[in-house]
Coordinates of all heavy atoms in Angstrom, one line a residue:
M1 N 5.5 -34.5 7.0 CA 4.9 -33.2 6.8 C 5.2 -32.4 8.0 O 5.2 -32.9 9.1 CB 3.4 -33.3 6.5 CG 3.0 -33.9 5.2 SD 1.4 -33.5 4.8 CE 1.2 -34.5 3.4
D2 N 5.4 -31.1 7.8 CA 5.7 -30.2 8.9 C 4.4 -29.3 9.1 O 3.7 -29.0 8.1 CB 6.8 -29.2 8.6 CG 8.1 -30.0 8.5 OD1 8.3 -30.9 9.2 OD2 8.9 -29.6 7.6
E3 N 4.1 -29.1 10.4 CA 2.9 -28.2 10.6 C 3.3 -27.0 11.4 O 4.1 -27.1 12.4 CB 1.9 -29.0 11.4 CG 0.6 -28.3 11.5 CD -0.6 -29.2 12.0 OE1 -0.6 -30.3 11.6 OE2 -1.3 -28.7 12.9
L4 N 2.9 -25.9 11.0 CA 3.2 -24.6 11.7 C 1.9 -23.8 11.7 O 1.5 -23.3 10.7 CB 4.3 -23.9 11.0 CG 4.7 -22.5 11.5 CD1 5.3 -22.7 12.9 CD2 5.8 -21.9 10.6
N5 N 1.4 -23.6 12.9 CA 0.2 -22.8 13.1 C -0.9 -23.2 12.1 O -1.4 -22.4 11.3 CB 0.5 -21.3 12.9 CG 1.4 -20.8 14.0 OD1 1.4 -21.3 15.1 ND2 2.1 -19.7 13.7
S6 N -1.2 -24.5 12.0 CA -2.2 -25.1 11.2 C -1.9 -25.0 9.7 O -2.7 -25.2 8.8 CB -3.6 -24.5 11.4 OG -3.7 -23.2 10.9
L7 N -0.6 -24.8 9.4 CA -0.2 -24.8 8.0 C 0.5 -26.1 7.8 O 1.5 -26.4 8.5 CB 0.8 -23.6 7.7 CG 1.4 -23.6 6.3 CD1 0.4 -23.3 5.2 CD2 2.5 -22.6 6.3
T8 N 0.1 -26.9 6.8 CA 0.7 -28.2 6.5 C 1.4 -28.1 5.2 O 0.8 -27.7 4.2 CB -0.3 -29.3 6.6 OG1 -1.0 -29.3 7.8 CG2 0.4 -30.7 6.3
V9 N 2.7 -28.5 5.2 CA 3.5 -28.4 3.9 C 4.1 -29.7 3.7 O 4.7 -30.3 4.6 CB 4.6 -27.3 4.1 CG1 5.4 -27.3 2.8 CG2 4.0 -26.0 4.4
S10 N 3.8 -30.3 2.5 CA 4.4 -31.5 2.1 C 5.9 -31.4 2.0 O 6.4 -30.5 1.3 CB 3.8 -32.0 0.8 OG 4.7 -32.9 0.1
E11 N 6.7 -32.3 2.6 CA 8.1 -32.2 2.5 C 8.6 -32.3 1.1 O 9.6 -31.7 0.7 CB 8.8 -33.3 3.4 CG 8.6 -33.0 4.9 CD 9.3 -34.1 5.7 OE1 10.4 -34.5 5.3 OE2 8.8 -34.5 6.7
E12 N 7.9 -33.2 0.3 CA 8.3 -33.3 -1.1 C 8.1 -32.1 -1.9 O 9.0 -31.6 -2.7 CB 7.5 -34.5 -1.7 CG 7.9 -34.8 -3.2 CD 7.2 -36.0 -3.7 OE1 7.3 -37.1 -3.1 OE2 6.5 -35.8 -4.7
R13 N 7.0 -31.4 -1.7 CA 6.7 -30.2 -2.4 C 7.6 -29.1 -1.9 O 8.1 -28.2 -2.7 CB 5.2 -29.7 -2.2 CG 4.3 -30.6 -3.1 CD 2.9 -30.0 -3.0 NE 2.7 -28.6 -3.4 CZ 2.7 -28.2 -4.7 NH1 2.8 -29.1 -5.7 NH2 2.5 -26.9 -5.0
L14 N 7.9 -29.0 -0.6 CA 8.8 -28.0 -0.1 C 10.2 -28.2 -0.7 O 10.9 -27.3 -1.1 CB 8.9 -28.1 1.4 CG 9.8 -27.1 2.1 CD1 9.4 -25.7 1.8 CD2 9.8 -27.4 3.6
E15 N 10.7 -29.5 -0.8 CA 12.0 -29.8 -1.4 C 12.0 -29.3 -2.9 O 12.9 -28.7 -3.4 CB 12.3 -31.2 -1.3 CG 13.7 -31.6 -1.6 CD 14.0 -33.1 -1.3 OE1 13.7 -33.5 -0.2 OE2 14.5 -33.8 -2.2
D16 N 10.9 -29.6 -3.6 CA 10.8 -29.2 -5.0 C 10.8 -27.7 -5.2 O 11.5 -27.1 -6.0 CB 9.5 -29.7 -5.7 CG 9.5 -31.3 -5.9 OD1 10.6 -31.9 -5.8 OD2 8.4 -31.8 -6.1
C17 N 10.1 -27.0 -4.3 CA 10.1 -25.6 -4.3 C 11.5 -25.0 -4.0 O 11.9 -24.0 -4.7 CB 9.0 -25.0 -3.3 SG 8.8 -23.3 -3.3
R18 N 12.1 -25.5 -3.0 CA 13.5 -25.1 -2.7 C 14.4 -25.2 -4.0 O 15.2 -24.3 -4.2 CB 14.1 -25.9 -1.6 CG 13.5 -25.5 -0.2 CD 14.1 -26.4 0.8 NE 15.5 -26.3 0.9 CZ 16.2 -25.9 2.0 NH1 15.5 -25.7 3.1 NH2 17.5 -25.8 2.0
D19 N 14.3 -26.3 -4.7 CA 15.1 -26.5 -5.9 C 14.8 -25.4 -6.9 O 15.7 -25.0 -7.7 CB 14.8 -27.9 -6.5 CG 15.3 -29.0 -5.7 OD1 16.2 -28.8 -4.8 OD2 14.9 -30.2 -5.9
V20 N 13.6 -24.9 -7.0 CA 13.2 -23.9 -7.9 C 13.7 -22.5 -7.4 O 14.2 -21.7 -8.2 CB 11.7 -23.8 -8.2 CG1 11.3 -22.6 -8.9 CG2 11.3 -25.1 -8.9
V21 N 13.6 -22.2 -6.2 CA 13.9 -20.9 -5.6 C 15.4 -20.7 -5.4 O 15.9 -19.6 -5.6 CB 13.1 -20.7 -4.2 CG1 13.6 -19.5 -3.5 CG2 11.6 -20.7 -4.5
E22 N 16.1 -21.7 -5.1 CA 17.5 -21.6 -4.7 C 18.4 -20.9 -5.7 O 19.2 -20.1 -5.3 CB 18.1 -23.0 -4.3 CG 19.3 -22.9 -3.4 CD 20.6 -23.0 -4.2 OE1 20.5 -23.5 -5.4 OE2 21.6 -22.5 -3.7
P23 N 18.3 -21.3 -7.0 CA 19.2 -20.6 -7.9 C 19.0 -19.1 -8.0 O 20.0 -18.3 -8.0 CB 18.9 -21.3 -9.3 CG 18.3 -22.6 -8.9 CD 17.6 -22.4 -7.6
D24 N 17.8 -18.7 -8.0 CA 17.5 -17.2 -8.0 C 17.9 -16.6 -6.7 O 18.4 -15.4 -6.7 CB 16.0 -17.0 -8.2 CG 15.5 -17.3 -9.6 OD1 16.4 -17.3 -10.5 OD2 14.3 -17.6 -9.8
L25 N 17.8 -17.3 -5.6 CA 18.3 -16.7 -4.3 C 19.8 -16.5 -4.3 O 20.3 -15.5 -3.9 CB 17.9 -17.6 -3.1 CG 18.4 -17.2 -1.8 CD1 17.9 -15.8 -1.4 CD2 18.0 -18.3 -0.7
Q26 N 20.5 -17.5 -4.8 CA 21.9 -17.4 -4.9 C 22.3 -16.2 -5.8 O 23.3 -15.5 -5.5 CB 22.6 -18.7 -5.4 CG 22.4 -19.8 -4.4 CD 23.0 -19.5 -3.0 OE1 24.1 -18.9 -2.9 NE2 22.3 -19.8 -2.0
D27 N 21.6 -16.1 -6.9 CA 21.9 -14.9 -7.8 C 21.6 -13.6 -7.1 O 22.4 -12.7 -7.3 CB 21.0 -15.0 -9.1 CG 21.4 -16.1 -10.0 OD1 22.5 -16.6 -9.9 OD2 20.6 -16.4 -10.9
L28 N 20.5 -13.5 -6.4 CA 20.2 -12.3 -5.6 C 21.3 -12.0 -4.6 O 21.8 -10.9 -4.5 CB 18.9 -12.5 -4.9 CG 18.5 -11.4 -3.9 CD1 18.2 -10.1 -4.6 CD2 17.3 -11.8 -3.1
I29 N 21.8 -13.0 -3.9 CA 22.8 -12.8 -2.9 C 24.1 -12.3 -3.6 O 24.8 -11.4 -3.1 CB 23.1 -14.1 -2.1 CG1 21.9 -14.4 -1.2 CG2 24.4 -14.0 -1.3 CD1 21.9 -15.8 -0.6
Q30 N 24.4 -13.0 -4.7 CA 25.7 -12.6 -5.4 C 25.6 -11.1 -5.9 O 26.6 -10.4 -5.8 CB 25.9 -13.5 -6.6 CG 27.3 -13.4 -7.2 CD 28.4 -13.5 -6.2 OE1 28.4 -14.4 -5.4 NE2 29.4 -12.6 -6.2
R31 N 24.4 -10.7 -6.4 CA 24.3 -9.3 -6.9 C 24.4 -8.3 -5.7 O 25.1 -7.3 -5.9 CB 22.9 -9.1 -7.6 CG 22.9 -9.7 -9.0 CD 21.7 -9.2 -9.7 NE 20.4 -9.2 -9.0 CZ 19.6 -10.3 -9.0 NH1 19.9 -11.4 -9.6 NH2 18.4 -10.2 -8.3
A32 N 23.9 -8.7 -4.6 CA 24.0 -7.8 -3.4 C 25.5 -7.7 -2.9 O 25.9 -6.7 -2.6 CB 23.1 -8.3 -2.3
L33 N 26.1 -8.9 -3.0 CA 27.6 -8.9 -2.6 C 28.4 -8.0 -3.5 O 29.3 -7.3 -3.1 CB 28.1 -10.3 -2.6 CG 27.6 -11.2 -1.5 CD1 28.1 -12.7 -1.7 CD2 28.0 -10.8 -0.1
T34 N 28.1 -8.1 -4.8 CA 28.9 -7.3 -5.8 C 28.5 -5.8 -5.7 O 29.2 -4.9 -6.1 CB 28.7 -7.7 -7.2 OG1 27.3 -7.7 -7.6 CG2 29.2 -9.2 -7.4
S35 N 27.4 -5.5 -5.0 CA 27.0 -4.1 -4.7 C 27.7 -3.5 -3.5 O 27.4 -2.4 -3.1 CB 25.5 -4.0 -4.6 OG 24.9 -4.3 -5.8
G36 N 28.4 -4.4 -2.8 CA 29.2 -3.9 -1.7 C 28.7 -4.3 -0.3 O 29.2 -3.9 0.7
F37 N 27.6 -5.0 -0.3 CA 27.1 -5.5 1.0 C 27.8 -6.7 1.5 O 28.2 -7.6 0.7 CB 25.6 -5.7 0.9 CG 24.8 -4.5 0.6 CD1 24.4 -4.2 -0.6 CD2 24.5 -3.5 1.6 CE1 23.7 -3.0 -0.9 CE2 23.8 -2.4 1.4 CZ 23.4 -2.1 0.1
S38 N 27.9 -6.9 2.8 CA 28.5 -8.2 3.3 C 27.4 -9.3 3.2 O 26.2 -9.1 3.1 CB 28.9 -8.0 4.8 OG 27.7 -7.9 5.6
R39 N 27.9 -10.5 3.3 CA 27.0 -11.7 3.3 C 26.1 -11.6 4.4 O 24.9 -11.9 4.3 CB 27.9 -13.0 3.3 CG 27.0 -14.2 3.2 CD 27.8 -15.5 3.0 NE 28.4 -15.5 1.6 CZ 27.8 -15.9 0.5 NH1 26.5 -16.3 0.6 NH2 28.4 -15.9 -0.6
E40 N 26.6 -11.2 5.6 CA 25.7 -11.1 6.8 C 24.6 -10.1 6.5 O 23.4 -10.3 6.9 CB 26.5 -10.7 8.0 CG 27.4 -11.8 8.5 CD 28.8 -11.8 7.7 OE1 29.0 -10.9 6.8 OE2 29.6 -12.7 8.0
E41 N 24.9 -8.9 6.0 CA 23.9 -7.9 5.7 C 22.8 -8.4 4.7 O 21.6 -8.2 4.9 CB 24.5 -6.6 5.1 CG 25.4 -5.9 6.1 CD 26.2 -4.8 5.4 OE1 26.7 -5.0 4.3 OE2 26.3 -3.7 6.0
V42 N 23.3 -9.1 3.7 CA 22.4 -9.7 2.7 C 21.5 -10.7 3.3 O 20.2 -10.6 3.1 CB 23.2 -10.3 1.5 CG1 22.2 -10.9 0.5 CG2 24.0 -9.2 0.8
L43 N 22.0 -11.6 4.1 CA 21.2 -12.7 4.7 C 20.2 -12.1 5.7 O 19.1 -12.6 5.7 CB 22.1 -13.7 5.3 CG 22.9 -14.5 4.3 CD1 23.9 -15.5 5.0 CD2 22.1 -15.2 3.3
I44 N 20.6 -11.1 6.4 CA 19.7 -10.5 7.4 C 18.6 -9.8 6.6 O 17.4 -9.9 7.0 CB 20.4 -9.5 8.3 CG1 21.3 -10.3 9.3 CG2 19.4 -8.7 9.1 CD1 22.3 -9.5 10.1
A45 N 18.9 -9.0 5.6 CA 17.9 -8.3 4.8 C 16.9 -9.3 4.2 O 15.7 -9.1 4.3 CB 18.5 -7.5 3.7
V46 N 17.4 -10.4 3.6 CA 16.6 -11.4 3.0 C 15.7 -12.1 4.1 O 14.5 -12.2 3.9 CB 17.4 -12.5 2.2 CG1 16.5 -13.7 1.8 CG2 18.0 -11.8 1.0
S47 N 16.3 -12.4 5.2 CA 15.5 -13.0 6.3 C 14.4 -12.1 6.8 O 13.3 -12.6 7.0 CB 16.5 -13.3 7.4 OG 15.8 -13.8 8.6
E48 N 14.6 -10.8 6.9 CA 13.6 -9.9 7.3 C 12.5 -9.8 6.3 O 11.3 -9.7 6.6 CB 14.2 -8.5 7.6 CG 15.0 -8.5 8.9 CD 15.7 -7.1 9.1 OE1 15.6 -6.2 8.3 OE2 16.2 -6.9 10.2
L49 N 12.9 -9.7 5.0 CA 11.8 -9.6 4.0 C 11.0 -10.9 3.9 O 9.8 -10.8 3.8 CB 12.5 -9.4 2.6 CG 13.1 -8.0 2.4 CD1 14.0 -8.0 1.2 CD2 12.1 -7.0 2.3
V50 N 11.6 -12.0 4.1 CA 10.9 -13.3 4.1 C 10.0 -13.4 5.3 O 8.8 -13.8 5.2 CB 11.8 -14.5 4.1 CG1 11.1 -15.8 4.4 CG2 12.6 -14.6 2.8
A51 N 10.4 -12.9 6.5 CA 9.6 -12.9 7.7 C 8.4 -12.0 7.5 O 7.3 -12.4 7.9 CB 10.4 -12.5 8.9
E52 N 8.6 -10.9 6.9 CA 7.5 -10.0 6.6 C 6.4 -10.6 5.7 O 5.2 -10.5 6.0 CB 7.9 -8.6 6.1 CG 8.7 -7.8 7.0 CD 9.4 -6.6 6.4 OE1 9.2 -6.3 5.2 OE2 10.1 -5.9 7.1
D53 N 6.9 -11.2 4.6 CA 6.0 -11.9 3.7 C 5.3 -13.1 4.4 O 4.1 -13.3 4.2 CB 6.7 -12.4 2.5 CG 6.9 -11.3 1.4 OD1 6.6 -10.1 1.7 OD2 7.5 -11.6 0.4
F54 N 6.0 -13.8 5.2 CA 5.4 -15.0 5.9 C 4.4 -14.5 6.9 O 3.3 -15.1 7.0 CB 6.5 -15.8 6.6 CG 6.0 -17.1 7.0 CD1 5.8 -18.1 6.1 CD2 5.8 -17.3 8.4 CE1 5.3 -19.4 6.6 CE2 5.3 -18.6 8.8 CZ 5.1 -19.6 7.9
A55 N 4.6 -13.4 7.6 CA 3.7 -12.9 8.5 C 2.4 -12.5 7.8 O 1.3 -12.7 8.3 CB 4.3 -11.7 9.3
M56 N 2.5 -11.9 6.6 CA 1.3 -11.5 5.9 C 0.5 -12.8 5.5 O -0.7 -12.8 5.6 CB 1.7 -10.7 4.6 CG 2.1 -9.3 5.0 SD 2.2 -8.2 3.6 CE 3.4 -9.0 2.5
V57 N 1.2 -13.8 5.0 CA 0.5 -15.0 4.6 C -0.2 -15.7 5.8 O -1.3 -16.2 5.7 CB 1.5 -16.0 4.0 CG1 0.9 -17.4 3.8 CG2 2.0 -15.5 2.6
M58 N 0.5 -15.7 6.9 CA -0.1 -16.3 8.1 C -1.0 -15.4 8.9 O -1.5 -15.8 9.9 CB 1.1 -16.8 9.0 CG 1.9 -17.9 8.4 SD 1.0 -19.4 8.0 CE 0.5 -19.9 9.6
R59 N -1.0 -14.1 8.5 CA -1.8 -13.1 9.1 C -1.4 -12.9 10.6 O -2.3 -12.9 11.5 CB -3.3 -13.4 9.0 CG -3.8 -13.5 7.6 CD -5.3 -13.7 7.6 NE -5.9 -14.3 6.4 CZ -5.9 -13.8 5.2 NH1 -5.3 -12.7 4.9 NH2 -6.4 -14.4 4.2
T60 N -0.1 -12.9 10.8 CA 0.4 -12.7 12.2 C 1.3 -11.5 12.2 O 1.9 -11.1 11.1 CB 1.2 -13.9 12.7 OG1 2.3 -14.2 11.8 CG2 0.3 -15.2 12.8
P61 N 1.5 -10.9 13.3 CA 2.4 -9.8 13.4 C 3.9 -10.2 13.0 O 4.3 -11.3 13.4 CB 2.4 -9.3 14.9 CG 1.2 -10.0 15.4 CD 0.9 -11.2 14.6
S62 N 4.6 -9.3 12.4 CA 6.0 -9.6 12.0 C 6.9 -9.3 13.2 O 6.6 -8.4 14.0 CB 6.4 -8.7 10.9 OG 7.8 -8.8 10.6
V63 N 7.9 -10.1 13.3 CA 8.9 -9.9 14.4 C 10.0 -8.9 14.0 O 10.8 -8.6 14.8 CB 9.5 -11.2 14.9 CG1 8.4 -12.1 15.5 CG2 10.2 -11.9 13.8
H64 N 10.0 -8.4 12.8 CA 11.0 -7.5 12.3 C 10.4 -6.2 12.1 O 9.4 -5.9 11.7 CB 11.6 -8.0 11.0 CG 12.3 -9.3 11.1 ND1 13.5 -9.4 11.7 CD2 12.0 -10.5 10.8 CE1 13.9 -10.7 11.7 NE2 13.0 -11.4 11.1

């Protein structure tokens, strides 16, 4: 199990969740690429959005 700021996540559940999320993420990336954005732009945008959501869940300031 991984612990981050008192958040404990089961590795097995995290792996299962990744399996569910990954296909939609790949579809999202592909749609953004076909809209003319570079892979780097897409990944940075997704990373920033995830960081903002994670900061809200953890109730910490966002770094983005």
Side-chain angles (χ1 to χ4, degrees):
M1 293 199 186
D2 295 323
E3 188 168 321
L4 178 64
N5 295 335
S6 76
L7 173 70
T8 303
V9 179
S10 159
E11 288 183 42
E12 184 176 300
R13 285 188 56 82
L14 182 58
E15 194 172 307
D16 290 344
C17 186
R18 288 177 59 124
D19 289 344
V20 170
V21 170
E22 200 268 338
D24 290 333
L25 176 60
Q26 292 305 317
D27 289 345
L28 172 67
I29 291 169
Q30 191 57 46
R31 284 195 313 272
L33 290 172
T34 59
S35 293
F37 295 100
S38 71
R39 183 168 292 278
E40 291 82 3
E41 290 170 320
V42 175
L43 294 175
I44 290 168
V46 168
S47 175
E48 289 178 350
L49 290 168
V50 169
E52 290 170 7
D53 278 3
F54 192 75
M56 286 191 303
V57 169
M58 296 301 295
R59 302 182 202 296
T60 58
S62 174
V63 296
H64 295 285

